[in-house]
Amino acid sequence: MPAFPLEELLARPKSKPKGCSRLPNLMDIKFHNNYWQAAQAENLTYYIYGAYYDNRATVEEAPLVRILTMSSRYGKRNEVKFPQVYCQLWYENQTEPLLVNVTDHKIIWIFGGAPKRVYPTLLSCALPQQQQQVPEMVSLVATRCELATNLLRVVYEPRKWVEPATKPRFMVCVKALNYPYSDLSWRLIEWLELLRLLGADKVVFYEAQMHANMSKVIEHYSQQAGYVELRPLSLGRGEPHAAPNFHYWAMSADGFNRRLNEMIPYNDCFYRNMYNYDYIGVFDIDEIIMPLGNLTSWSQLIDVAQRAPDYQRESSRCQHWASFCFRNVYFPSYAERAPVYPTLPSYYYMLQHVERSPEHCNRYAAVKCLHSTRYVEALHNHFPLFFRRKHSCDPKSVPIQYAQMQHYREPTNKTRLLNPIRDDNIWRFQPQLQQRVHDTYKQLGFLPNEL
């Protein structure tokens, strides 16, 4: 239960507050599903997943505590009315909470609503400017002095190193691995090794319920100096999680509900890691941002992307961008076609699949981005929904001569399958990638000893 501060609660001295609120105890909490808590305000219900301390230099209102929720209210942006709610901020060794207003509700969705759904919503609680101590815990309440029904640990992971960075640091966030009936361990290994070659320092996954071999792969990489992290997750509306494979069927039952819930791991991952990485990507395990030409790493790519033409602006006034985004191009399986690289074993999926659709998708269709942790406030899986417009320009579409987002799946529009062209840019990484994948297979016991 990563959000519930049980250790901090047990360590607190038992004392009666002099003010109007006391710290909720374990029996006061309204737990909702495995990893969520609930709060009620008028006829609105908040299901709360996490809380985070935001003191970034680009956030003028900082310091803030951000609270990531699913709420039962939705409507057009700037037209949704939320009740006034409050944060009770609990500091170490203090028995009285600091009471502040929730100053902002950001609905992390722009594509319409439907009944019986809950919507990802990011709340902001502005701390007094002179208050530089990080709160230990926070509760969301409908009135300032009420006894809270929720209590969350405030996540703050400050920068872990003090030496100047010689190049940007990158990490990747992945939605729930919801594969109980499919063994994609072989795809996962190749993908993780290619990410590492491109410059990813960390990859965070969220667990739904997955195949045993995939769990074995995640465990293997989790032991490698923190390269991979697996975090728990359940659905915000309340679907059961503990029953074997039920999460899979709940996700399959309603694609809209699934997409709404996917915003939670993306944004939890971002806020947990924003101080330690310069750029964060949100990808599926069939997606890779591939530098092209002489570029062989994401750090080189970012350097070039900063100077590349900006298709969305005629002027060059921008110096900072919320995100750098890359156009999607499909690499289908083309199972009926002979392998381009017949001597390479078939379990090297990306190295084998070097034929793609002849045309890239447009700049607004299925793009994926590298998001700046200095400016972004809330993420969709394809682009940032909120960012600091005073300090940065809109996401920049990087020209396709520098990089592309390689998508290893069948396109929805089947005409894109026609007239494939060969694109073997990945082969620049072939010797290292092939050897690393093979070594991992051997270590995990996925290959006979004689191979």
Side-chain angles (χ1 to χ4, degrees), residues 157-177:
E157 295 288 345
R159 201 172 183 91
K160 296 177 182 177
W161 60 91
V162 295
E163 69 276 7
T166 57
K167 59 182 181 179
R169 288 178 60 86
F170 299 89
M171 69 158 294
V172 171
C173 301
V174 188
K175 64 188 179 187
L177 290 178

Side-chain angles (χ1 to χ4, degrees), residues 223-334:
Q223 298 172 4
Q224 298 181 12
Y227 177 50
V228 162
E229 179 182 354
L230 181 66
R231 300 202 60 81
L233 183 70
S234 57
L235 296 176
R237 201 173 68 96
E239 293 86 347
H241 182 71
N245 300 346
F246 187 85
H247 188 103
Y248 172 85
W249 295 109
M251 295 279 272
S252 302
D254 190 322
F256 185 43
N257 185 46
R258 171 176 57 80
R259 291 183 181 90
L260 291 171
N261 275 271
E262 286 173 358
M263 301 304 108
I264 296 299
Y266 299 149
N267 288 279
D268 176 73
C269 179
F270 180 88
Y271 275 98
R272 285 181 177 275
N273 294 279
M274 64 182 179
Y275 292 110
N276 282 292
Y277 299 91
D278 300 290
Y279 292 93
I280 292 178
V282 172
F283 308 139
D284 295 337
I285 64 173
D286 61 356
E287 300 171 336
I288 201 84
I289 289 177
M290 177 62 70
L292 302 176
N294 295 324
L295 306 177
T296 57
S297 70
W298 285 348
S299 59
Q300 294 173 349
L301 177 57
I302 288 295
D303 182 58
V304 170
Q306 293 274 5
R307 297 178 275 110
D310 191 339
Y311 292 132
Q312 295 171 276
R313 296 170 187 81
E314 295 181 3
S315 69
S316 57
R317 65 177 179 83
C318 287
Q319 295 183 335
H320 306 285
W321 289 266
S323 309
F324 293 104
C325 299
F326 304 88
R327 288 170 62 181
N328 179 84
V329 63
Y330 290 104
F331 282 70
S333 63
Y334 292 117

Side-chain angles (χ1 to χ4, degrees), residues 142-184:
T143 60
R144 294 170 64 89
C145 290
E146 76 172 278
L147 177 61
T149 61
N150 56 89
L151 186 66
L152 296 100
R153 176 182 294 114
V154 176
V155 175
Y156 177 51
E157 295 288 345
R159 201 172 183 91
K160 296 177 182 177
W161 60 91
V162 295
E163 69 276 7
T166 57
K167 59 182 181 179
R169 288 178 60 86
F170 299 89
M171 69 158 294
V172 171
C173 301
V174 188
K175 64 188 179 187
L177 290 178
N178 191 32
Y179 299 102
Y181 302 110
S182 301
D183 180 8
L184 296 182

